[in-house]
Amino acid sequence: QVQLVESGGGLVQPGGSLRLSCSASGSIVRIYDMGWYRQAPGKQRELVASVTNGGRTSYTDSVKGRFAISRDNAKKTVSLQMNNLKPEDTAVYYCNAFLESMPRGGADYWGQGAQVTVSS
């Protein structure tokens, strides 16, 4: 059974930093694209950052220059470094991975969510 487990959420003041991490486990053959989504109360889930198997990264406009996504293929992890956090970054953050596993094959998987609260 494939699992994505997140860590690193918490409360931070505006201008502060947090680092989210997500670790994949199970009968994984290969991990392809990975990303971080967030969902604030009353709003739809949005893609924040993504990184392809080839290392190409992309970010939603509101976090460009502040967030950085990275992955470690050997450790099967993806991280999101969040700097200069703003109150509007407050949300539950979910990691996502499209991966190949046994016996299912290729499929999308999600982490359990990590609360990030930016407040003074």
Side-chain angles (χ1 to χ4, degrees), residues 34-115:
M34 308 184 79
W36 289 93
Y37 291 72
R38 67 186 180 189
Q39 188 167 27
K43 297 185 178 180
Q44 293 185 322
R45 187 173 298 187
E46 66 170 340
L47 177 63
V48 177
S50 64
V51 56
T52 69
N53 183 246
R56 177 181 177 273
T57 60
S58 62
Y59 302 89
T60 191
D61 287 343
S62 64
V63 308
K64 288 180 179 177
R66 300 189 297 120
F67 291 11
I69 189 171
S70 61
R71 65 188 289 169
D72 187 324
N73 292 330
K75 296 181 179 180
K76 300 178 182 178
T77 61
V78 61
S79 298
L80 185 69
Q81 178 67 45
M82 303 183 291
N83 299 322
N84 192 25
L85 283 160
K86 305 176 183 297
E88 50 263 44
D89 295 319
T90 296
V92 177
Y93 285 71
Y94 299 88
C95 69
N96 168 265
F98 184 83
L99 55 83
E100 182 182 355
S101 67
M102 294 294 291
R104 184 174 181 183
D108 225 23
Y109 292 88
W110 293 88
Q112 81 278 11
Q115 177 69 51

Side-chain angles (χ1 to χ4, degrees), residues 1-4 23-32 76 99-107 109:
Q1 183 178 4
V2 172
Q3 294 186 79
L4 302 183
S23 178
S25 63
S27 300
I28 298 170
V29 178
R30 185 178 301 275
I31 304 176
Y32 296 97
K76 300 178 182 178
L99 55 83
E100 182 182 355
S101 67
M102 294 294 291
R104 184 174 181 183
Y109 292 88

